[in-house]
Amino acid sequence: MISAKKILKMNWKTPGIIIILFIIVTLIESTSLYAQYYETVKIGDQVWMERNLQNDVLGSICYDDDSLNCKEYGRLYCWQAALDACPEGFRLPTDKDWSILINSLGGPDSAASALLKGGSSGFDIPLSGNYQPEMKMFSFKNQKAYFWTASSYSMNTAWIRIFDKDSKSVTRTTIGKSFYFSIRCIRID
């Protein structure tokens, strides 16, 4: 796809064409037409994104501030940013959505092996770690994956799911909303 920068560098005989093309390409680049495309996977009656979300929004970060980590693991989001980060047609899953997914794959004691990267479900969760802003610390990459739900537990906490490379089980717990975790969006019915 041609970019607005490339148009400006071209040697055009009619300056008006440059301006029109620049405006058109700029509009396309700034709309959802140019947004990242996400593959989906259907498990039971649910349709989920096949990969962790990578939308660069305020309140999100790449592990170790390295964009290569975003490409491999997706971005990490604070809970407030996670609520609105999913693209059109998708939403942040609720605690109930995660429970339905996990129960359809054998329940919390065994579903992790099907959901982790290389598992039988095609969900392919990478072990993306987390970010703890109070300590300014990234941790657990390649060891654990943490996922937000849209379900608040209290004013300062929300429900999450934790996947561990050394466990077949999925942990359901609550944690402070200031942590930065991964997002896996679910399609809106």
Side-chain angles (χ1 to χ4, degrees):
M1 174 170 228
I2 193 164
S3 70
K5 289 179 184 178
K6 285 183 182 177
I7 288 174
L8 289 176
K9 291 181 181 179
M10 292 179 174
N11 188 10
W12 294 89
K13 294 180 182 178
T14 312
I17 292 176
I18 295 173
I19 293 169
I20 292 169
L21 284 173
F22 180 79
I23 291 169
I24 291 170
V25 171
T26 302
L27 285 171
I28 290 171
E29 287 177 349
S30 65
T31 65
S32 61
L33 294 174
Y34 195 71
Q36 185 164 358
Y37 176 76
Y38 287 94
E39 296 287 331
T40 59
V41 59
K42 184 173 183 177
I43 301 173
D45 292 332
Q46 298 175 314
V47 179
W48 293 76
M49 285 186 174
E50 194 175 78
R51 297 180 60 200
N52 292 353
L53 191 66
Q54 296 180 23
N55 282 357
D56 185 358
V57 298
L58 186 63
S60 71
I61 193 168
C62 295
Y63 194 97
D64 281 338
D65 292 317
D66 183 344
S67 63
L68 293 177
N69 283 324
C70 275
K71 288 180 183 175
E72 185 171 346
Y73 301 100
R75 296 185 74 81
L76 302 173
Y77 300 81
C78 69
W79 187 76
Q80 194 61 47
L83 291 175
D84 297 319
C86 292
E88 188 176 331
F90 291 88
R91 62 175 171 77
L92 187 63
T94 63
D95 184 56
K96 183 179 178 181
D97 292 325
W98 275 102
S99 291
I100 291 169
L101 172 69
I102 290 162
N103 288 331
S104 74
L105 295 168
D109 293 333
S110 60
S113 56
L115 291 167
L116 287 170
K117 198 167 194 161
S120 60
S121 69
F123 207 72
D124 286 336
I125 291 175
L127 298 168
S128 49
N130 69 51
Y131 176 64
Q132 302 169 40
E134 290 84 12
M135 298 171 61
K136 296 185 170 119
M137 183 173 83
F138 292 93
S139 56
F140 298 112
K141 184 177 86 169
N142 296 321
Q143 295 173 34
K144 296 183 181 191
Y146 302 79
F147 287 90
W148 284 120
T149 76
S151 303
S152 188
Y153 178 74
S154 71
M155 191 164 100
N156 297 318
T157 61
W159 288 101
I160 65 167
R161 291 299 188 283
I162 304 171
F163 296 81
D164 187 313
K165 74 174 184 169
D166 297 322
S167 177
K168 292 181 182 178
S169 64
V170 181
T171 302
R172 175 184 181 251
T173 191
T174 60
I175 199 161
K177 294 176 180 177
S178 63
F179 281 81
Y180 283 58
F181 298 143
S182 296
I183 299 175
R184 191 62 72 100
C185 303
I186 189 168
R187 184 177 287 159
I188 297 170
D189 297 331

